[in-house]
Amino acid sequence: MPLKSIDASPLSIPFIAAFKHAAAERSMTESLWVEATTQSGVVGFGEGCPREYVSAETISTANAFVTSFRDELLEKIQDLQSLSEWVGMHRFEIDRNPAAWTAVELALLDAIGKERGCSIEILLGLRPLHGQFCYTAVLGDGSIESFQAQLSRYLALGFRQFKIKLSGAFERDLEKVRALSEGGVTGDAVRADANNLWADVERAEAHLGALDYRFFALEEPLQPNDYAGLKRLAERLDTRIILDESCMRGDQLDGLPRPSTTWIVNLRVSKMGGLLRSLRLLPEIRDRGLGVIVGAHVGETSILTRAALTIANGAKDILIAQEGAFGTRLLTADVAQPPLMFGKGGVIDIDDLGLGGIPGLGLNISSRQGY
């Protein structure tokens, strides 16, 4: 599969409504779009979400990464084996540019799958994609009126799992948990994402304890990589900890204190540096007895939604929850027609969509003109 070109450009699609959390507020996508074209004219599509507060990446640095390695990739990538070898040989470069590489890798995998006439799962030797995948209702840190309206819509759709963004402002967060309680949503169905709000255990415990609402799990309440502090907080509040910014690479798992049941890894494809690295991490997570959430960056299109399904399909025995798949429920348009997004109950049914057997990522990508 000789390559003809690899082209990268920013992808900016407005949101229907702005989404806010403690680390950022967004009103449109902030993604890198990559198209890989083979000599036979097959085009593969990829997407990555550079986030400065996650991996220190920007659209500019992601573009620069693609530019710096384009010639090498065009020369060396011929098939899945050469792609896998390239990933192994460039570990440190991908560690510093995970979202940029994710966009490139997905485009290459999509192109290779299309050339071979097989789905991504068959290409990678995985079990075929099938069945239902159930997504979490994610509520941002907007006004309480916006929060209540979002919650009402999710409840009407039949969602059973929820994730809220904490603000650190006590009264605002208290209003959120009251709205959840009034809506009949108990804490065992709710995860709270603090986006590294607190500097120490005591401040986090004081705020969260005063809410008097026992969350199923807390995502990144302290500063990244404060594993000892996170363990103490989990013990004091009788909850679990979700690692996002604190788990960017597999070697970080070695630093986690026991017991393993404390920890859940948020496995976002764009954060981890692509589909191949994410898949390689799954056995390590499983062997350590950890749980997995297949997460998503706000504003992902159907490309990253599709890639995340591959991870979720391979992690069903340890999968706690899945995020994303908003499609045109959040974006004013999507690159895929039809968009790959959840329906009633937060469910995507692969068998109904007939997606599992289509070559490559299996998406019908529309023109990006105007994005």
Side-chain angles (χ1 to χ4, degrees):
M1 185 207 73
L3 288 166
K4 178 181 179 181
S5 63
I6 297 174
D7 299 307
S9 58
L11 178 67
S12 299
I13 304 174
F15 292 178
I16 293 171
F19 188 93
K20 181 182 178 183
H21 58 75
E25 180 173 3
R26 301 192 183 283
S27 58
M28 65 174 54
T29 62
E30 189 175 338
S31 301
L32 182 74
W33 181 261
V34 172
E35 298 185 7
T37 305
T38 70
Q39 291 289 353
S40 62
V42 170
V43 182
F45 303 97
E47 173 192 12
C49 294
R51 296 292 183 263
E52 195 163 7
Y53 56 88
V54 176
S55 60
E57 291 176 280
T58 65
I59 292 294
S60 178
T61 65
N63 259 316
F65 173 86
V66 178
T67 299
S68 65
F69 286 104
R70 179 183 285 114
D71 290 344
E72 181 180 338
L73 291 165
L74 291 173
E75 176 187 353
K76 295 188 175 181
I77 304 303
Q78 300 287 326
D79 50 22
L80 179 60
Q81 180 177 340
S82 56
L83 175 60
S84 181
E85 290 172 353
W86 198 94
V87 171
M89 293 174 61
H90 293 79
R91 191 185 96 190
F92 296 110
E93 292 90 342
I94 296 174
D95 283 348
R96 293 192 293 269
N97 302 274
W101 172 247
T102 295
V104 175
E105 183 190 84
L106 289 178
L108 293 171
L109 288 171
D110 191 29
I112 295 170
K114 289 173 178 175
E115 284 269 0
R116 291 188 50 182
C118 64
S119 71
I120 291 293
E121 285 72 28
I122 299 303
L123 175 69
L124 297 176
L126 306 172
R127 63 184 179 187
L129 188 66
H130 71 93
Q132 293 187 342
F133 294 82
C134 190
Y135 288 80
T136 295
V138 181
L139 297 106
D141 181 32
S143 67
I144 187 58
E145 292 79 16
S146 173
F147 185 92
Q148 290 171 328
Q150 277 187 316
L151 178 60
S152 295
R153 289 193 293 270
Y154 281 132
L155 290 171
L157 279 170
F159 276 82
R160 296 185 178 181
Q161 288 188 320
F162 302 82
K163 172 178 173 176
I164 71 169
K165 296 286 188 174
L166 296 174
S167 67
F170 180 73
E171 290 300 326
R172 188 192 303 177
D173 291 341
L174 184 61
E175 287 179 325
K176 293 172 187 175
V177 297
R178 283 174 175 167
L180 289 166
S181 296
E182 290 168 2
V185 181
T186 56
D188 58 356
V190 183
R191 309 188 300 277
D193 187 357
N195 290 102
N196 312 111
L197 266 172
W198 293 288
D200 56 66
V201 173
E202 287 67 31
R203 294 180 192 179
E205 182 184 10
H207 183 99
L208 294 164
L211 293 177
D212 194 26
Y213 189 85
R214 183 180 173 275
F215 296 106
F216 168 74
L218 300 171
E219 184 166 344
E220 293 289 340
L222 304 179
Q223 298 306 291
N225 308 316
D226 183 4
Y227 305 124
L230 289 168
K231 180 177 183 291
R232 289 200 306 275
L233 185 63
E235 291 171 345
R236 292 180 186 182
L237 296 177
D238 188 23
T239 189
R240 301 179 74 179
I241 297 295
I242 302 168
L243 303 170
D244 189 2
E245 289 83 2
S246 296
C247 187
M248 303 279 293
R249 304 173 309 279
D251 57 14
Q252 290 174 289
L253 298 177
D254 296 332
L256 298 180
R258 294 182 180 276
S260 60
T261 51
T262 301
W263 311 105
I264 301 168
V265 176
N266 186 332
L267 201 58
R268 292 190 283 185
V269 176
S270 184
K271 177 195 72 171
M272 303 308 301
L275 197 52
L276 296 181
R277 297 204 336 171
S278 297
L279 288 168
R280 289 170 185 169
L281 190 58
L282 276 180
E284 295 185 46
I285 294 172
R286 184 178 287 110
D287 290 347
R288 286 171 166 82
L290 312 177
V292 165
I293 289 173
V294 177
H297 291 289
V298 175
E300 292 182 358
T301 75
S302 293
I303 293 285
L304 279 169
T305 295
R306 175 61 181 87
L309 283 168
T310 302
I311 304 300
N313 196 50
K316 284 189 173 179
D317 59 318
I318 54 173
L319 185 65
I320 289 172
Q322 197 165 354
E323 299 167 4
F326 282 90
T328 51
R329 295 183 185 276
L330 175 63
L331 307 177
T332 55
D334 197 296
V335 296
Q337 295 299 327
L340 184 58
M341 62 183 186
F342 59 71
K344 190 173 181 180
V347 170
I348 286 179
D349 193 313
I350 298 301
D351 300 329
D352 282 353
L353 294 174
L355 183 62
I358 304 176
L361 293 172
L363 300 174
N364 178 32
I365 304 300
S366 61
S367 170
R368 290 186 53 249
Q369 186 175 1
Y371 293 158

